[in-house]
Amino acid sequence: AVVSTQSTGIFQSHFSELLKKWCQINQTKLSSHAEKLIIMEKIQSDPAIEESSHSTREIVRGVKNICKCWLDINAPICTQNAPIFISLVSMLTNQLLSFTCQLRNLVEEMRFHATYDLQFDIQDEMLVAFNNMNLLRQVNIGLESELNMSLWTCSQEKLKEMLATNDVAMEEEVIACSEGLVDKMEPSIEKYVFELRKANPDVSASQVLGALLDYLDNNITLISRMQDRGTLSNIIVNIWGKICNKLKDVVETKPELEPEHYNRVGDSLKFMKHHFQNNLGDNGISEDRLINRPEFSEIVDTMELQQMETDDLIILH
């Protein structure tokens, strides 16, 4: 039998409409599912038993099921179906970003309303939510292979741009969330660093800052449970920036300190720098990352203004 061009066109039109409806139904279901799961995320009794939560794994499973169904449909790869495929990818990336934003908001709620042990400002629940955000980023990147995007040569540039743009947006959420975690630690860091003001000048920097080291080790050990090591090192470097700022505050808020006190601030900076380089994170933090922080330059400049000894300045630089 000969199938007319007109019949083929009518079939393609109906098929395209069905694909559009299928995409709309999946968007509604995934969105509704995500709303319910974020509520579960808030009331979960013990999320610390696993690195990522059941709720987020359900979202990942839902996204992957949609990808599998699309491949099973075996929609013709043609210019008529390209807008539908782009719409599907857009829906998935938007849902992943939306859930990531909700997780960030959840961490913010925890940060402002939770109570803490004296030695811990970071909670297991925060880190689980954080891991969830990084997991969703991985799913976003994986959409390219999950949907065999390379086959859609007519839309390659558009598709790659969508994934890259969404990844940047999701990364910004992760970065903002990591900065929030460090902000939560700032009051405790300040309390321990400001002990330098009160301690007797003949007490060494390592003795004065012993409580700070214990506090950092406790919290960073907990943070080390995070799956994403790049994010972990960024958090540690941000903590280093906070410490440098507080050391600068010690000098600036009490300029009448004796030279011995200034020297001990300098010793404290060197002592903490050595600790970050050798003891924090998987293999410590590189010296370049520490000395390139603007906060480090500011504390060195401040000490210079207070006429710290030249030899100590050379060592710090």
Side-chain angles (χ1 to χ4, degrees):
V2 177
V3 180
S4 68
T5 304
Q6 182 181 7
S7 297
T8 304
I10 292 172
F11 174 81
Q12 176 63 42
S13 176
H14 283 303
F15 186 69
S16 296
E17 285 301 314
L18 287 172
L19 286 180
K20 288 178 184 177
K21 288 181 180 177
W22 179 80
C23 289
Q24 290 168 356
I25 290 170
N26 277 288
Q27 178 174 3
T28 301
K29 285 187 175 181
L30 192 59
S31 179
S32 174
H33 193 47
E35 289 176 6
K36 292 175 183 176
L37 288 178
I38 200 68
I39 294 173
M40 289 174 57
E41 198 83 27
K42 292 181 180 181
I43 62 175
Q44 218 168 6
S45 58
D46 188 14
I49 57 174
E50 297 185 66
E51 289 182 328
S52 60
S53 68
H54 170 75
S55 302
T56 299
R57 293 195 297 274
E58 282 295 303
I59 289 291
V60 172
R61 190 175 295 113
V63 169
K64 292 194 172 186
N65 282 342
I66 291 173
C67 294
K68 183 179 182 302
C69 287
W70 173 267
L71 296 180
D72 289 344
I73 289 171
N74 201 23
I77 299 172
C78 57
T79 53
Q80 294 97 320
N81 287 334
I84 301 170
F85 183 67
I86 290 173
S87 177
L88 171 69
V89 175
S90 177
M91 181 271 286
L92 293 174
T93 55
N94 287 339
Q95 288 297 322
L96 289 170
L97 177 58
S98 174
F99 198 58
T100 300
C101 292
Q102 292 180 69
L103 287 169
R104 179 198 166 186
N105 292 335
L106 181 60
V107 174
E108 289 294 300
E109 288 180 26
M110 294 176 186
R111 187 161 72 89
F112 286 110
H113 301 300
T115 56
Y116 304 91
D117 182 273
L118 290 175
Q119 279 294 308
F120 293 92
D121 276 324
I122 304 300
Q123 289 180 304
D124 280 331
E125 292 88 343
M126 285 182 175
L127 299 179
V128 172
F130 216 121
N131 280 339
N132 290 339
M133 294 170 73
N134 283 313
L135 177 59
L136 293 175
R137 273 192 75 195
Q138 294 169 20
V139 174
N140 177 75
I141 295 170
L143 286 176
E144 185 171 5
S145 59
E146 291 281 348
L147 290 168
N148 287 339
M149 289 187 187
S150 59
L151 300 177
W152 292 81
T153 54
C154 57
S155 307
Q156 276 299 292
E157 188 174 337
K158 174 68 175 175
L159 292 168
K160 287 183 180 294
E161 180 186 356
M162 288 170 62
L163 292 184
T165 300
N166 203 54
D167 184 60
V168 169
M170 295 175 81
E171 183 183 27
E172 288 174 352
E173 291 296 315
V174 171
I175 290 172
C177 192
S178 70
E179 291 172 348
L181 291 183
V182 177
D183 287 343
K184 179 63 190 172
M185 298 175 69
E186 184 171 4
S188 295
I189 291 172
E190 179 178 287
K191 178 183 73 174
Y192 292 121
V193 171
F194 278 15
E195 289 295 317
L196 290 167
R197 290 174 170 175
K198 301 180 289 184
N200 195 296
D202 58 4
V203 179
S204 69
S206 59
Q207 288 177 288
V208 178
L209 297 177
L212 174 62
L213 293 187
D214 290 340
Y215 169 79
L216 291 177
D217 289 344
N218 286 332
N219 283 274
I220 291 176
T221 297
L222 187 58
I223 295 172
S224 297
R225 292 179 58 247
M226 292 176 55
Q227 295 170 309
D228 189 297
R229 297 303 167 189
T231 305
L232 169 63
S233 65
N234 288 339
I235 289 176
I236 294 175
V237 172
N238 285 338
I239 292 172
W240 164 249
K242 294 288 186 188
I243 290 173
C244 289
N245 271 340
K246 297 310 170 185
L247 287 171
K248 181 165 71 78
D249 290 344
V250 168
V251 176
E252 290 183 335
T253 57
K254 208 164 185 180
E256 73 280 5
L257 289 173
E258 294 296 321
E260 293 84 356
H261 285 282
Y262 290 125
N263 290 336
R264 189 169 58 188
V265 172
D267 290 340
S268 300
L269 186 60
K270 288 182 284 187
F271 173 70
M272 293 305 301
K273 179 169 162 288
H274 179 270
H275 187 70
F276 273 73
Q277 281 181 243
N278 296 279
N279 301 311
L280 298 184
D282 288 339
N283 299 301
I285 305 299
S286 71
E287 183 176 26
D288 285 346
R289 292 195 69 185
L290 298 177
I291 65 177
N292 287 332
R293 286 288 298 198
E295 299 92 341
F296 179 77
S297 298
E298 289 170 8
I299 176 60
V300 171
D301 291 343
T302 300
M303 296 302 297
E304 191 170 25
L305 289 173
Q306 299 298 335
Q307 298 181 336
M308 189 177 173
E309 290 182 9
T310 304
D311 289 345
D312 286 339
L313 278 172
I314 292 172
I315 292 172
L316 282 176
H317 281 293

